[in-house]
Amino acid sequence: MFNMSLKQQQRVIIVSFLAIPLCLLITFSYFPAVELFFLSTADWDGFLDPGEFLVGMPHQADFVGLDNYVDLLNEPEELKPLLVSLYYFVGAVIQLALSLWFAVLVNSKLIGRNLFKTFLFLPFVLNAVAASMVFQIFYQMDGGLDSFLSLIGMDPLFTVVENGQEIVKYPEWLANPKIVNWALVAASVWRYLGFNLILFYGVLQSIPQDQYEAARIEGATEWQQFRFITLPSIKMIIGLQALLAFVGSLSVFDIPYIITKGANGTRTFVMETIRVAFEHNGYGIASAMAVILLALVVFFMILQKVLFKEEK
């Protein structure tokens, strides 16, 4: 190595440092992805012969080509949970708007802004299971939400008629299919709001303050400063956050699984994929569903690149 030129030594050092991460990436990302594509074209129940571990389809898997994809399109019962993602798409937009608003507030001369920022970020560092169980109790009938609404004067009680008798009830936040998904979206927004806030706050801190000072001297209003200085400066991070939020909306799992177990129309696409694979041993169909999810993620990545193209 001592006989190498400086540039050759640099290349050797770079390759040496990249060797282990690349091996881990290939082993735990690219290799399973290749297996996934193979299995999506097979009919396999998940069982292997002793000692069988091959790239491609196991010996007990029957090659069916694109039949799994055709079955999903002809009998789209397994694709219906994709519609649940629409609720989380709306929640993602609300989450991004709120996090950007709070980030602008925290970036201003707000009294106690560090404490405010800590309170908003705290839900993100909580364990997902613990946070979901908190909301499961919070949404119970006559639970925390109903008590809070009663406390502020918004009585959550309503009257229904059963067998000719009027019965007073509390809203069934987790049992009513019309509102349960919105309740879960609210829990998701609460949990991930702080993460987006910190990212927005970090990029806002990088904007030179002299631009705002010059704009104020020219008589620009707060809205004009936000529109012509802040938004163009954070355009790329908004695109990245939008991509992460929408991809997260497609892959929601922990909150609906822990709170409702997928009942009352809350089963997401990832939950349906796991159910098909591990409850019905349909690993081929489940792999095809996973490939469809991957295709949707790639679509959003391309869309993000187009909509948030960096100006040169």
Side-chain angles (χ1 to χ4, degrees):
M1 183 171 179
F2 293 103
N3 296 326
M4 297 181 182
S5 64
L6 179 60
K7 186 171 293 186
Q8 290 175 329
Q9 292 180 22
Q10 290 175 342
R11 290 175 180 174
V12 170
I13 293 174
I14 292 173
V15 171
S16 300
F17 274 103
L18 287 177
I20 295 178
L22 282 176
C23 289
L24 294 175
L25 184 65
I26 292 172
T27 303
F28 296 106
S29 293
Y30 295 144
F31 176 76
V34 172
E35 288 282 283
L36 181 69
F37 281 104
F38 275 112
L39 291 178
S40 69
T41 62
D43 181 16
W44 184 45
D45 59 5
F47 293 97
L48 287 172
D49 289 329
E52 183 178 19
F53 186 75
L54 300 174
V55 176
M57 292 183 297
H59 292 161
Q60 292 183 347
D62 297 324
F63 177 75
V64 295
L66 299 179
D67 287 355
N68 290 328
Y69 297 95
V70 174
D71 291 342
L72 288 174
L73 294 177
N74 292 335
E75 299 179 5
E77 192 66 30
E78 283 82 7
L79 295 180
K80 282 185 178 180
L82 274 175
L83 298 177
V84 177
S85 298
L86 297 177
Y87 292 97
Y88 293 93
F89 284 161
V90 176
V93 174
I94 297 173
Q95 176 182 296
L96 289 174
L98 286 176
S99 60
L100 179 57
W101 181 48
F102 283 130
V104 172
L105 287 179
V106 171
N107 193 49
S108 63
K109 303 299 181 181
L110 184 69
I111 299 176
R113 57 180 179 174
N114 289 330
L115 184 63
F116 184 64
K117 181 172 56 178
T118 301
F119 281 143
L120 287 175
F121 185 70
L122 186 61
F124 181 72
V125 300
L126 291 178
N127 182 272
V129 176
S132 301
M133 293 181 67
V134 167
F135 270 90
Q136 188 177 42
I137 298 172
F138 184 65
Y139 284 136
Q140 284 180 353
M141 188 175 296
D142 198 15
L145 179 57
D146 293 334
S147 300
F148 175 74
L149 293 176
S150 299
L151 183 64
I152 62 176
M154 298 176 61
D155 195 350
L157 296 175
F158 67 97
T159 304
V160 296
V161 178
E162 294 182 0
N163 299 326
Q165 295 181 345
E166 291 187 351
I167 301 176
V168 178
K169 287 188 174 183
Y170 281 93
E172 297 176 337
W173 303 107
L174 298 179
N176 189 340
K178 295 181 179 179
I179 60 176
V180 60
N181 279 307
W182 293 116
L184 297 180
V185 166
S188 180
V189 170
W190 173 82
R191 185 162 190 271
Y192 294 101
L193 179 65
F195 175 73
N196 292 325
L197 166 66
I198 292 300
L199 291 181
F200 280 133
Y201 176 73
V203 72
L204 288 175
Q205 288 284 295
S206 66
I207 301 176
Q209 293 299 311
D210 55 358
Q211 296 184 18
Y212 293 102
E213 294 175 1
R216 282 191 289 267
I217 293 174
E218 293 294 330
T221 62
E222 293 292 334
W223 167 248
Q224 290 173 331
Q225 293 176 42
F226 177 77
R227 179 182 177 184
F228 296 107
I229 299 177
T230 305
L231 276 183
S233 301
I234 64 174
K235 179 181 177 181
M236 296 307 299
I237 194 66
I238 290 177
L240 175 62
Q241 290 294 86
L243 174 64
L244 294 176
F246 287 134
V247 170
S249 301
L250 289 171
S251 57
V252 173
F253 174 75
D254 50 358
I255 289 178
Y257 181 78
I258 295 171
I259 296 180
T260 64
K261 302 295 189 295
N264 302 321
T266 61
R267 183 181 296 144
T268 62
F269 192 64
V270 174
M271 294 172 63
E272 180 66 16
T273 303
I274 294 175
R275 186 185 71 85
V276 171
F278 296 104
E279 292 184 16
H280 298 281
N281 291 334
Y283 284 82
I285 291 287
S287 298
M289 294 171 68
V291 172
I292 291 175
L293 182 61
L294 177 61
L296 290 173
V297 171
V298 172
F299 168 76
F300 277 112
M301 291 177 62
I302 296 174
L303 185 64
Q304 185 261 348
K305 290 290 185 181
V306 173
L307 295 179
F308 296 89
K309 186 183 299 183
E310 187 174 4
E311 298 179 0
K312 297 182 180 180

